[in-house]
Amino acid sequence: MIEYKGCQYCVHFRPDGTCPAFDPDTIPLPIVSGQIKHIKPVSNQENTIVYEPVKKSIIYRVDTYRTNNKLMRRRIEIIQGDIKQQNVDAIVNAANEALIAGGGVSGSIHNAAGLGLEEECLKLGGCQEEKAKITKGYNLPAKWVIHTVSPVWEGGNYGEHKILAQCYRSCFAFVEPYKINTIAFPSISTGAYDFPIEIAAKIAIRETRLFLEQNTFIDKVFFICFEKDVYECYTLTLEKIIPEDF
Ligand code: AR6
């Protein structure tokens, strides 16, 4: 029996020992090349956890997954709605550096979460642009709120694209340590911060794809678009970047 720190084939496995890659319908996109074989944690005689291959483990070729847009599309959903009502593990807040309630989505989240959120935010000492901080969700259906400080659009000449992409990465960095299976993003930076929606949507979907390709822990990423035109733009962008019948 070989001892692993994690699933060396599919990168991650769920804490309950099931591997999300085991069911062909929920296959994630592993980052290794060659073949994948799934392993699960079991206790050995010394009562320590070791990992052994799942019986009847199906061996898939990795490149099948890489190009399987259909499977990827099942893990991304665009919804027209209100982020504070989403029943997910974590929602993302388009925050300001002081992490105080502002207008737009941030005001809406703070109002719904209640004073507990504000109190916790005040203890965090603010947040720099492109970084993210996490708090509890308080009165929200979501367990966690990830606050990220995104760039103000100033014509695209001071690295706004890269900063926005980094915001998504900073948010995704909480997924594994906080065991987040479902996460919902608003259309970050496209309100008060004036980012062109087409560009912001492209960055959001690209970063999500990159993350999902490398991370099998998370089940689903939602984009919650408040306005119809934002919803349509995200839907179109998703179809362009990850066409379903590719
Ligand atoms: N659910 C989903 N999306 C929403 C909601 C909602 N409840 N409310 C608004 N949106 P914005 P930014 C949409 O301005 O551009 C704040 O004051 C909104 O229609 O909230 O990143 C902060 O304190 C738009 O499409 O965020 C910051 O200072 C999108 O969410 C600053 O604004 C983002 O709009 C951040 O600006």
Side-chain angles (χ1 to χ4, degrees), residues 81-84 93-97 100-109 148 150-151 185-195 197 224-227 230:
D82 187 339
I83 201 161
K84 62 181 182 288
N93 178 22
N96 49 48
E97 289 194 356
I100 52 173
V105 71
S106 135
S108 186
I109 289 173
T148 188
S150 60
F185 287 89
S187 176
I188 301 174
S189 266
T190 65
Y193 284 178
D194 223 13
F195 226 93
I197 298 169
I224 313 300
C225 305
F226 209 46
E227 297 93 353
V230 178

Side-chain angles (χ1 to χ4, degrees), residues 4 19 29 55 72 86 95 100 102-104 107 111 127 138 157 169 180 204 206 211 219 234 243:
Y4 296 109
C19 177
L29 304 179
K55 277 186 194 136
M72 175 63 86
Q86 302 305 311
I100 52 173
N111 276 341
C127 180
Y138 297 92
N157 297 319
R169 285 177 220 148
I180 292 167
R206 277 196 188 146
F211 176 71
D219 279 338
Y234 270 72

